[in-house]
Amino acid sequence: MLAASTLSLSVVSTAGFLLARLANRSSFCATQHGLGFGMMASAISVASAGGSTIAAEVQSNGDVTAAAAAFAGDAGSSPKRRRVSSDVTTRFPITVVEKQPRRLVVIADVHGDLGAFAETLLAAGLVDGTGNWAAGETVLVQAGDVFDRGDSDLEVEEWLWTLQEQATESGGAVYHLLGNHEIMNAMGDHSTASPKSFEPFQDLNVDLAPFGSQLDKFPDWGKPRLAAMAPGGPVSKMLASHSVAMKIGDTLLVHGGLRPVNFDPKSCRGATGMACLESLNRWTHEWLIGQGEMPKELWNRDSPVWTRFYSSPGGVELGEEAGADLQKVLDVTGTVRMIVGHTPQEAGINSALGGRLWRTDTGMTAMIGGQPEARQY
């Protein structure tokens, strides 16, 4: 059942903002970063600190190849399949994968830019010329913030689900993290969503009845997205399978960051150590499927999806406090590094504290204009 009550305040507060965006649709929508206009991507790999950074180098090409069109979603044979339905199967989020993967690739904030995402997948060798999984036993982690800013956030989410299924069949895996923008959307705050990104939601046939008059202040084109992403809605149920934080082998992955306070029993309702992350993933899952309240742990200055303690300002070395905090977190989780996204890094993917921290949000969406990159180990 849709948890309509969770939308009541956020819907009203953002209605005017979205209505203003509709009136200025043509000026608001940025030109999307894509491969569909005579562009091909190649890869540059820069080795550092036990891994390497993959940069998608865009090169001019006179022909729009079938592969590029498929990546950008322009071809009739696009590899994306509609994964959203009213009876979507919700999986419980993963907290720990003990086995060290043969290859781990992390792609951070995509923000609805299907073209930039496609460039990164191609440069990392994760997909073939038809956009299907081609990386065998590789493990891919998308580090949150698929939604908002760009025009194609639902399509990116659906593509990730398709790749997840294909990777599993090949002995690999695709994992998703929740970012602050996924949380905002589930709360009813779509104030940073592109007006065009509302269009694919029209095809989902979401039941609006549970919301009563709460959606009356919104134009009809906005209502399906709001309902689909509200707790208990079909897209929110997809997000419910995403982790707030997870450990894969010797690597800790989280959108914003983790500090010692996140492992304090007072913050974990009595849990300690990795059980804190397991509990937070469970509480968030229950909220997103419409069977619980939003965890207060997601909405404070130390929230794992909101903190910028390690990532802002970008590209700089961190001080003793950050180093001490990070080491405590790594010790508690039994990991050697933490990978975060959330804060765009003008210099691209970069590290601090001797490679114990990696900042991977490059602002790849066209609205920010950063370089599409991925980090691999």
Side-chain angles (χ1 to χ4, degrees):
M1 178 178 178
L2 293 176
S5 61
T6 62
L7 273 179
S8 56
L9 295 178
S10 297
V11 166
V12 173
S13 65
T14 59
F17 195 84
L18 287 173
L19 285 168
R21 287 192 166 190
L22 177 61
N24 294 283
R25 177 186 295 245
S26 60
S27 61
F28 173 80
C29 294
T31 301
Q32 286 297 289
H33 201 126
L35 290 177
F37 299 94
M39 307 297 285
M40 287 294 289
S42 61
I44 299 175
S45 181
V46 181
S48 58
S52 61
T53 295
I54 303 166
E57 184 182 57
V58 181
Q59 299 176 339
S60 178
N61 188 298
D63 298 319
V64 179
T65 66
F71 287 150
D74 296 329
S77 59
S78 173
K80 302 183 304 302
R81 298 198 300 271
R82 283 284 169 190
R83 310 297 301 180
V84 181
S85 65
S86 59
D87 59 348
V88 62
T89 300
T90 298
R91 288 162 287 203
F92 196 80
I94 302 297
T95 303
V96 178
V97 178
E98 293 289 0
K99 183 180 179 181
Q100 187 72 26
R102 296 179 63 180
R103 182 186 182 217
L104 172 66
V105 178
V106 182
I107 300 175
D109 306 48
V110 178
H111 277 304
D113 194 322
L114 192 65
F117 183 50
E119 290 178 28
T120 311
L121 292 173
L122 176 62
L126 297 173
V127 296
D128 62 18
T130 62
N132 292 297
W133 184 257
E137 297 179 0
T138 295
V139 173
L140 167 64
V141 177
Q142 198 291 311
D145 277 8
V146 162
F147 284 86
D148 290 342
R149 305 196 193 285
D151 290 344
S152 304
D153 47 12
L154 183 60
E155 290 89 341
V156 173
E157 177 72 14
E158 291 170 333
W159 196 357
L160 278 164
W161 272 62
T162 297
L163 293 177
Q164 176 177 285
E165 183 178 273
Q166 294 173 343
T168 300
E169 294 172 352
S170 300
V174 174
Y175 299 109
H176 315 235
L177 299 183
L178 289 167
N180 59 302
H181 282 265
E182 281 74 45
I183 301 304
M184 289 165 60
N185 275 248
M187 293 175 66
D189 182 354
H190 299 257
S191 58
T192 58
S194 154
K196 189 174 181 181
S197 70
F198 283 73
E199 294 175 4
F201 289 83
Q202 306 291 332
D203 301 329
L204 302 185
N205 297 316
V206 182
D207 183 12
L208 304 181
F211 295 93
S213 62
Q214 292 188 77
L215 299 179
D216 287 352
K217 292 189 177 183
F218 276 90
D220 289 343
W221 61 264
K223 295 175 183 178
R225 176 174 175 132
L226 285 160
M229 298 198 72
V235 178
S236 185
K237 286 182 178 180
M238 294 174 73
L239 299 180
S241 70
H242 299 7
S243 306
V244 176
M246 68 180 302
K247 168 187 173 181
I248 300 179
D250 60 6
T251 301
L252 183 62
L253 301 116
V254 60
H255 181 66
L258 288 164
R259 300 186 67 186
V261 66
N262 300 120
F263 296 89
D264 188 314
K266 294 180 181 179
S267 300
C268 297
R269 309 181 198 181
T272 59
M274 287 299 296
C276 287
L277 300 187
E278 182 77 32
S279 296
L280 183 55
N281 283 337
R282 183 179 71 253
W283 300 328
T284 305
H285 170 84
E286 292 169 351
W287 168 54
L288 290 172
I289 63 175
Q291 296 182 8
E293 298 296 322
M294 187 189 83
K296 65 182 186 302
E297 293 81 4
L298 293 179
W299 201 254
N300 59 60
R301 62 180 298 176
D302 295 315
S303 164
V305 301
W306 275 104
T307 183
R308 300 185 193 273
F309 181 70
Y310 299 107
S311 58
S312 181
V316 301
E317 187 53 87
L318 298 176
E320 292 184 6
E321 180 186 8
D325 274 14
L326 177 60
Q327 192 56 54
K328 289 177 182 177
V329 169
L330 297 180
D331 289 344
V332 167
T333 57
T335 53
V336 301
R337 70 181 66 86
M338 180 166 67
I339 298 179
V340 302
H342 188 38
T343 304
Q345 305 291 306
E346 186 175 353
I349 291 175
N350 63 84
S351 67
L353 302 171
R356 290 179 292 158
L357 175 77
W358 282 89
R359 298 172 282 217
T360 59
D361 178 3
T362 64
M364 70 171 66
T365 179
M367 290 194 66
I368 297 177
Q371 170 74 30
E373 291 182 347
R375 182 71 188 169
Q376 68 176 358
Y377 294 91

